[in-house]
Amino acid sequence: MKKWGMLFIAVLMVTMVLAACGQEKNNSGNAANNTGQAANQNETQAAGDSTEPAKKLIVGMSADFPPYEFHIKNDQGEDEIVGFDVEIAKEIAKDLGTELEIKDMLFDSLLNELSSGRVDLVISGLSPKPERAEQIDMSKIYYTAEQAVVTREADKDKYSTMESLEGAKIGVQKSSIQEDMAKEIPNAKLTSLAKINDIIMQLTSNRVDAAILEGPVAKAFVKNVKGIVITDAKPETEDEGYVVGVKKGNKELLDQVNATLDRLMNDGSIDKFVTEATELAEK
């Protein structure tokens, strides 16, 4: 009887050991299963996280240059940058299949922002000065406009020629083609400011005698600011026309920009943009 009892206990112990092994195997299988599921979930999550949003086309502008680019209050009462350079930027972004972001900044900081990669393009009444070609790449000329001299109504006849500006106090935008032109006038005393609004204020407050501005810009300000006029003086420059600035060496983007400009010039869109922006600026 004692032997049978011992045999029974031995069988019972073996059974318990086997059961424990089976349970451990089950737990291991479940743990592996859970680990696999977690890994799959992490992979799916990681894949989702790595999806990049659509790239933006960031365009630098100095939005105090109507009708090229300027601020308005839209129908919702919100500040908006508009102008025919803005419309060109929209078309370039559309052709690239990207979202457009406009950065408003001082004109004399635009090229540094472009070279540093903080903006992708510069579209801001940018003339193709030879020294700029050393710093950035430039598109073909998309628009050409005459320059103008603006003064107070009482001085319209006094400053009717470029020769009459000799020795005068002249307001110009800093780092602009107009600044270069004014430097060529003998004995002229230049006031170079970042914003055209400030130049006009200098003129209306008698701090400068005249200002040299791009033609459509001059017309927009004369339309909206009482007491100033465009004179008969005709500034001339070899750097006529305006281009889009692209970071040096980015040929692919430059080619895409030129393709869009070709389309807009060939179908008359740029002339349409200029007319609409000028009308908007004159309101």
Side-chain angles (χ1 to χ4, degrees):
M1 186 73 179
K2 189 173 182 181
K3 287 183 180 179
W4 283 108
M6 291 178 66
L7 182 61
F8 175 76
I9 291 169
V11 170
L12 182 60
M13 289 178 67
V14 170
T15 304
M16 289 173 65
V17 169
L18 289 174
C21 288
Q23 182 64 34
E24 187 176 347
K25 186 177 180 181
N26 257 351
N27 288 342
S28 299
N30 287 340
N33 239 1
N34 291 339
T35 303
Q37 287 174 0
N40 287 338
Q41 188 175 2
N42 288 340
E43 285 172 12
T44 303
Q45 207 168 15
D49 289 344
S50 67
T51 303
E52 293 184 0
K55 186 181 184 305
K56 288 183 179 178
L57 179 72
I58 303 175
V59 176
M61 296 183 176
S62 179
D64 62 336
F65 200 56
Y68 292 80
E69 50 270 335
F70 55 103
H71 290 264
I72 64 164
K73 289 288 184 185
N74 62 22
D75 293 339
Q76 289 73 45
E78 301 166 337
D79 181 75
E80 183 180 357
I81 297 175
V82 297
F84 76 82
D85 276 346
V86 176
E87 295 306 313
I88 291 171
K90 288 178 182 178
E91 292 296 318
I92 293 171
K94 184 176 76 174
D95 287 350
L96 290 170
T98 62
E99 183 183 346
L100 174 65
E101 178 182 338
I102 294 174
K103 281 192 173 182
D104 184 11
M105 56 192 69
L106 296 179
F107 186 82
D108 60 352
S109 69
L110 288 172
L111 299 193
N112 287 334
E113 291 293 299
L114 180 60
S115 296
S116 68
R118 287 188 285 270
V119 299
D120 301 308
L121 299 175
V122 166
I123 312 178
S124 194
L126 189 71
S127 59
K129 296 165 68 173
E131 57 269 32
R132 286 176 180 162
E134 297 174 6
Q135 186 177 354
I136 63 170
D137 287 336
M138 295 182 284
S139 74
K140 59 182 58 183
I141 291 174
Y142 63 85
Y143 182 71
T144 301
E146 295 180 347
Q147 307 299 317
V149 173
V150 178
T151 190
R152 294 174 291 276
E153 285 180 345
D155 293 331
K156 182 178 180 181
D157 295 332
K158 183 178 179 180
Y159 299 112
S160 60
T161 66
M162 293 305 294
E163 290 73 23
S164 65
L165 291 172
E166 294 180 11
K169 293 180 287 185
I170 301 174
V172 289
Q173 188 172 42
K174 190 177 180 181
S175 299
S176 70
I177 187 175
Q178 291 81 24
E179 183 181 47
D180 292 341
M181 295 165 66
K183 287 177 180 177
E184 298 299 318
I185 300 173
N187 301 316
K189 302 171 185 66
L190 272 58
T191 297
S192 300
L193 300 172
K195 291 189 171 290
I196 294 177
N197 285 327
D198 294 335
I199 297 168
I200 297 300
M201 286 180 63
Q202 293 280 313
L203 180 60
T204 56
S205 60
N206 295 306
R207 291 186 177 91
V208 298
D209 301 313
I212 300 177
L213 304 174
E214 202 266 14
V217 177
K219 290 177 183 176
F221 275 97
V222 166
K223 182 82 174 179
N224 288 285
V225 179
K226 188 176 179 180
I228 62 173
V229 294
I230 295 174
T231 77
D232 292 331
K234 300 295 181 187
E236 294 182 359
T237 175
E238 294 178 358
D239 298 321
E240 292 287 356
Y242 295 102
V243 297
V244 177
V246 179
K247 188 175 181 180
K248 199 76 173 171
N250 194 343
K251 185 177 184 305
E252 183 180 355
L253 181 56
L254 182 63
D255 289 344
Q256 291 171 325
V257 167
N258 280 329
T260 298
L261 294 178
D262 279 336
R263 173 174 66 80
L264 297 177
M265 288 188 283
N266 291 336
D267 68 12
S269 292
I270 287 185
D271 290 336
K272 176 174 173 285
F273 294 159
V274 172
T275 300
E276 291 174 347
T278 302
E279 290 173 356
L280 185 58
E282 289 177 349
K283 287 183 180 178

